[in-house]
Amino acid sequence: MIIIASHNGVIGIDAAMQSLKNGGSALDAVEIGIRAVEADPDDHTVGYNGYPNILGELELDASIMDGRTLNSGAVALMRGFPYAISVARQVMDRKLPHVLLAAEGAERFAREIGAEARDRMLTDEIREIWRKRLAASASREDLSAIPDEAPLRDWVQLATDPERVAGTVNFIAIDSAGDIASGVSTSGWAWKYPGRIGDSPIIGAGNYADNRYGACACTGMGEMAIRAGSARSVLLYLKMGMSLEQAARQAMLDLRDLGGDYIGGMNLIALDKDGKHIGMGSRAGAYIFQQADMSAFQEVERELVTIPGRWAGAPRD
Ligand code: GLY
């Protein structure tokens, strides 16, 4: 049994491992670990109290994947429900003929299943950070003056902060039966255009698990992982016979081939079916792991694969 997670998973990895030790499934462990991060008001990149979009609304994305069957569930742009990972799991478990629900549809489904709702998804502190950023970008204080049909694309260009373009939590687990699950949850880019969806709820981009080979999950500029199909690429490279190290490195190198202005930071964590794990990133940082015989998690430095680009240093995580 093993769990690996992005560094901000520190707050949830103990409970996730306890669940595995109590006989819980890899899916349970992933959900438990991510819920802890989603509930944390001090993590502004995931769940409750994340950075909102340019209009000050918090839109959450999440996905979960079952490596036994490749069944998956995902939600995107969901407002008012802090535990996006649990709603994503229910999309899978309630046997909808769908993988991904977005916006009003995801919120309607969350209500139908009695998911925990929250009226105020942002603290005053985060609302003030958003208000100041927007005011500074637009040289004006009166946010109520943004007309409904204002060209928000200009505001997004002005307000986008490369240090806050993304941040996400990843959890991957192997349970006592050897089954693998992976989950990802995020509030996405700070000050994003309303309706922007990142890689986290896109199966194959930010998340992929397959018992036969392993699993991979990403943090960073989701647009890049969507364009390169990063998480699935790692699994495909494993399937083609590469080692875990080669597969993860090749997926990172693929990102270097992307053209365009919006090239920034990407990180991934991955493990193979035997529980060997790795983290790679375009910026120095660490991920965490815990095996059943360890009393606490350990940190491991990610291997560095630089990706030159305008925002090469971002995001911080
Ligand atoms: N990786 C998270 C996002 O881009 O939304």
Side-chain angles (χ1 to χ4, degrees):
M1 291 186 284
I2 184 169
I3 297 172
I4 66 172
S6 51
H7 198 275
N8 54 351
V10 162
I11 197 168
I13 196 165
D14 275 347
M17 180 50 80
Q18 204 50 55
S19 169
L20 281 189
K21 286 182 180 173
N22 292 340
S25 68
L27 285 167
D28 294 338
V30 161
E31 183 180 356
I32 288 167
I34 290 179
R35 278 180 69 97
V37 185
E38 290 175 332
D40 179 6
D42 296 327
D43 190 319
H44 303 312
T45 68
V46 178
Y48 169 66
N49 212 30
Y51 291 126
N53 68 19
I54 193 79
L55 295 177
E57 289 180 333
L58 186 64
E59 296 175 315
L60 301 182
D61 298 345
S63 68
I64 192 162
M65 186 159 190
D66 183 347
R68 291 172 300 184
T69 56
L70 310 193
N71 277 336
S72 313
V75 292
L77 307 174
M78 189 173 68
R79 293 163 305 176
F81 296 89
Y83 297 112
I85 194 68
S86 294
V87 181
R89 182 166 180 188
Q90 290 298 309
V91 171
M92 176 174 70
D93 285 354
R94 300 271 172 150
K95 314 244 181 296
L96 285 177
H98 309 306
V99 166
L100 170 59
L101 297 178
E104 289 86 356
E107 292 154 16
R108 180 180 178 129
F109 176 75
R111 274 193 301 279
E112 277 180 22
I113 62 169
E116 192 176 320
R118 189 163 188 148
D119 284 341
R120 291 188 82 240
M121 289 288 283
L122 299 179
T123 58
D124 290 342
E125 176 209 349
I126 290 299
R127 196 159 279 291
E128 187 57 15
I129 291 173
W130 161 73
R131 198 193 63 76
K132 281 195 173 136
R133 179 75 194 177
L134 205 53
S137 309
S139 308
R140 60 201 288 183
E141 290 283 335
D142 184 6
L143 302 183
S144 62
I146 303 180
D148 277 353
E149 296 309 320
L152 284 179
R153 60 183 185 278
D154 298 338
W155 291 71
V156 169
Q157 293 279 358
L158 289 167
T160 293
D161 174 356
E163 285 294 323
R164 288 185 178 140
V165 291
T168 303
V169 62
N170 301 154
F171 264 79
I172 300 174
I174 304 183
D175 61 25
S176 58
D179 293 323
I180 304 177
S182 56
V184 182
S185 182
T186 188
S187 47
W189 279 35
W191 338 133
K192 62 193 174 185
Y193 197 100
R196 177 269 183 185
I197 297 173
D199 59 324
S200 305
I202 308 295
I203 296 298
N207 188 10
Y208 208 81
D210 183 332
N211 268 12
R212 295 170 297 175
Y213 310 109
C216 175
C218 305
T219 62
M221 280 185 63
E223 280 71 5
M224 295 169 63
I226 293 173
R227 293 165 67 200
S230 296
R232 168 75 172 132
S233 292
V234 171
L235 274 283
L236 192 58
Y237 292 136
L238 285 172
K239 182 177 182 176
M240 289 165 63
M242 288 188 188
S243 68
L244 182 67
E245 202 276 342
Q246 288 170 329
R249 186 170 297 280
Q250 187 56 56
M252 290 295 293
L253 292 175
D254 290 347
L255 297 165
R256 279 191 178 167
D257 296 334
L258 299 173
D261 282 344
Y262 294 97
I263 298 299
M266 278 298 302
N267 315 299
L268 59 82
I269 58 170
L271 54 65
D272 66 18
K273 62 180 171 29
D274 301 318
K276 189 167 178 230
H277 51 92
I278 198 163
M280 288 212 176
S282 58
R283 182 170 172 155
Y287 69 102
I288 56 172
F289 82 101
Q290 189 169 353
Q291 291 166 187
D293 59 357
M294 293 164 57
S295 58
F297 68 85
Q298 273 182 25
E299 281 184 3
V300 189
E301 287 299 311
R302 293 189 300 244
E303 293 185 24
L304 201 58
V305 180
T306 54
I307 300 175
R310 184 156 76 101
W311 288 350
R316 188 166 42 206
D317 66 349

